[in-house]
Amino acid sequence: METENRVVSASRTIAAPADTVFELIADPRRQPEWDGNDNLVEIITGDRIRAAGEVFAMRTTKGNHRDNLVTDFVEGRRIAWRPGDEGGAPAGHEWRWEVEPLEDGTSRVTHTYDWTELTDERRVPRARATGEPQLRASLDRLAALAESLA
């Protein structure tokens, strides 16, 4: 029986300070600028994320409302959220970002998509199609944006 890999990651060094990179990730208003999946249009509700348990809502390119529950948060270093339908429980997949400051003033950033607990069968085809190239696209867009601000 073939096993499916339901956790995928990509990493890269970004020529910008960790604080700059993390601010872009933690501010939902900025996410459509660096989303490599071209899935996000705008924020519906929410401010700069400051703690696990917060919820921010985004509108997708298909017009869907996604509530995102922040599941992990360490200021300046790590943030993760689980999307779900408007007003519903998270569907079981998680987007995670880890930012490591490097001695030379740059940052090592790792982006992980984990769909091991995905329960919404409607989302499985899209989850299967999300691999390292899609994560790398988000990292590359985030790098371009962060480096333009550094």
Side-chain angles (χ1 to χ4, degrees):
M1 189 163 147
E2 197 174 315
T3 338
E4 187 168 37
N5 183 13
R6 293 180 172 230
V7 179
V8 62
S9 288
S11 297
R12 72 164 282 172
T13 299
I14 296 178
D19 294 355
T20 300
V21 174
F22 193 81
E23 283 302 316
L24 292 168
I25 299 167
D27 185 350
R29 294 172 294 205
R30 304 299 301 262
Q31 288 183 15
E33 296 175 63
W34 51 258
D35 171 39
N37 291 315
D38 293 320
N39 190 42
L40 303 175
V41 174
E42 64 186 350
I43 187 169
I44 298 170
T45 60
D47 292 313
R48 200 278 197 187
I49 299 161
R50 303 225 178 262
E54 292 182 13
V55 175
F56 64 95
M58 303 294 291
R59 185 170 330 284
T60 69
T61 53
K62 292 182 179 179
N64 297 319
H65 175 127
R66 291 285 181 257
D67 286 342
N68 297 281
L69 173 65
V70 179
T71 55
D72 190 8
F73 185 86
V74 175
E75 180 62 46
R77 299 295 174 262
R78 190 173 63 242
I79 187 170
W81 58 85
R82 289 184 173 214
D85 290 333
E86 180 179 9
H93 53 150
E94 182 174 85
W95 298 98
R96 174 176 298 276
W97 291 86
E98 296 168 275
V99 181
E100 176 188 355
L102 301 176
E103 288 183 21
D104 63 359
T106 64
S107 307
R108 183 76 178 158
V109 181
T110 301
H111 183 26
T112 302
Y113 178 58
D114 179 344
W115 58 288
T116 55
E117 298 177 22
L118 186 64
T119 57
D120 186 344
E121 289 299 319
R122 297 172 301 150
R123 290 188 167 98
V124 169
R126 178 91 185 221
R128 282 190 176 115
T130 302
E132 186 178 346
Q134 289 74 27
L135 300 182
R136 187 156 303 285
S138 291
L139 283 165
D140 291 346
R141 287 185 181 183
L142 179 64
L145 185 57
E147 290 168 0
S148 77
L149 300 172

